[in-house]
Amino acid sequence: MSAQVLVVGSANADLVVTVDRRPTGGETVLGGDTEILPGGKGANTAVAAARLGAEVALLGAVGDDAHGRLLLDSLRESGVNTDLVRVVSRPTGLAFITVTPDGENSIIVSPGANHALRPEDTAAVTEAPKVMVLSMEIPLDTVEHAITSAAGTATCTILNLSPVASVSESTLADVDILLVNEHEAAWLLGMGERGGVLPNPELSKLLDLGPRAAVVTAGSRGAVIVRPTGLAEVPSPAVEVVDTTGAGDAFAGALATALARDSELPDAVALAARVAALSVTRRGAQPSYPTVAELE
């Protein structure tokens, strides 16, 4: 296996239903017809990168079931190398997603086969990729092992710390780029659940956690790059939002693609913001991701 971009992460089938509003505790609401779409933070990131022309592989796990076959077909059709995707006895991961009329979503993930991805599975990677992207819908020890193994090599590591979790100091010290949204950044900095932290100067404290740089996303308000030299804001194009599902993964895939092509970080973040913005104008995660031609 050789690839410019290696994604170590999850593959889920997304069960998506539109609702007028989300139910409160003990309440039932009626929704639209359920769609079953390919998703998962790892698979989404890989597909987003592949559609932009990157040579990309996914290290992950799916079940031997219809949902697993759906995911493998979607990955292959998008040009993702699936040689490192294990087929295991556990059911394929599922994400239960509700989408409201404003395009916002709520998601519950049942990891399933994703939790069968173990640290020793990273030994299947025989050639160092230019960029490695990791996210948190797989076991923490697998994420940490992959990052530690890449330390000291020419591989640029991007940790998309979502869903947000406590990662060891030694692992964070080996991360090149920490990618989080503003809510995850607030959690990491002990600022509670409140959002709207951009462009708070306290974001510079993310580097105290260990990474060489950080990128904090804030949806339609763009992103902030955090480096030892200071903060830099990158705007997002204004678009009409249809569905925000998978937008962060689109951002991660585009960021990795640009960095694999030796773009400077501000240019890579600007491309990622464009790709994520275009993705929210369409329904679903992977089906919403643009190709190079569509960007142009």
Side-chain angles (χ1 to χ4, degrees):
M1 187 286 305
S2 63
Q4 292 175 308
V5 177
L6 173 66
V7 180
V8 182
S10 61
N12 297 323
D14 288 349
L15 278 60
V16 185
V17 60
T18 57
V19 292
D20 289 334
R21 59 183 179 83
R22 296 180 186 88
T24 59
E27 182 184 21
T28 299
V29 299
L30 292 178
D33 292 344
T34 299
E35 292 183 271
I36 302 176
L37 301 170
K41 299 193 74 64
N44 289 349
T45 299
V47 167
R51 291 198 175 166
L52 295 174
E55 184 182 286
V56 56
L58 174 67
L59 174 61
V62 297
D64 185 12
D65 51 33
H67 290 146
R69 290 186 285 277
L70 167 73
L71 287 161
L72 289 172
D73 287 345
S74 175
L75 289 163
R76 291 163 181 159
E77 289 169 5
S78 297
V80 177
N81 184 319
T82 60
D83 291 349
L84 299 178
V85 179
R86 294 179 54 212
V87 178
V88 301
S89 59
R90 295 184 67 169
T92 298
L94 296 176
F96 303 89
I97 303 173
T98 59
V99 181
T100 47
D102 60 0
E104 289 297 325
N105 60 67
S106 295
I107 304 174
I108 298 173
V109 174
S110 172
N114 295 302
H115 273 189
L117 192 65
R118 305 305 307 155
E120 55 268 25
D121 293 325
T122 62
V125 181
T126 56
E127 296 182 41
K130 198 159 187 180
V131 178
M132 180 169 64
V133 191
L134 307 102
S135 52
M136 303 300 295
E137 289 178 344
I138 58 175
L140 176 59
D141 56 349
T142 303
V143 171
E144 294 191 329
H145 180 78
I147 292 172
T148 301
S149 298
T153 71
T155 298
C156 171
T157 53
I158 302 173
L159 176 58
N160 183 9
L161 195 55
S162 179
V164 69
S166 296
V167 178
S168 69
E169 292 181 8
S170 60
T171 297
L172 287 172
D174 288 332
V175 170
D176 290 302
I177 299 171
L178 176 66
L179 175 60
V180 290
N181 65 30
E182 59 179 333
H183 306 289
E184 293 155 354
W187 186 88
L188 287 169
L189 296 175
M191 299 167 66
E193 295 292 329
R194 67 184 179 88
V197 300
L198 300 187
N200 195 316
E202 288 191 36
L203 291 178
S204 61
K205 294 179 181 178
L206 288 171
L207 301 190
D208 295 339
L209 302 177
R212 292 163 185 79
V215 176
V216 183
T217 62
S220 62
R221 289 178 288 123
V224 171
I225 301 170
V226 185
R227 292 184 288 188
T229 53
L231 307 183
E233 293 186 64
V234 178
S236 174
V239 297
E240 184 175 341
V241 176
V242 172
D243 182 0
T244 60
T245 305
D249 307 328
F251 190 104
L255 179 67
T257 298
L259 292 175
R261 294 172 176 164
D262 298 322
S263 293
E264 295 295 327
L265 186 56
D267 295 330
V269 171
L271 173 68
R274 286 179 58 208
V275 169
L278 185 51
S279 78
V280 304
T281 66
R282 306 168 178 175
R283 289 184 55 76
Q286 292 177 28
S288 74
Y289 297 158
T291 63
V292 173
E294 290 173 320
L295 276 180
E296 294 173 348

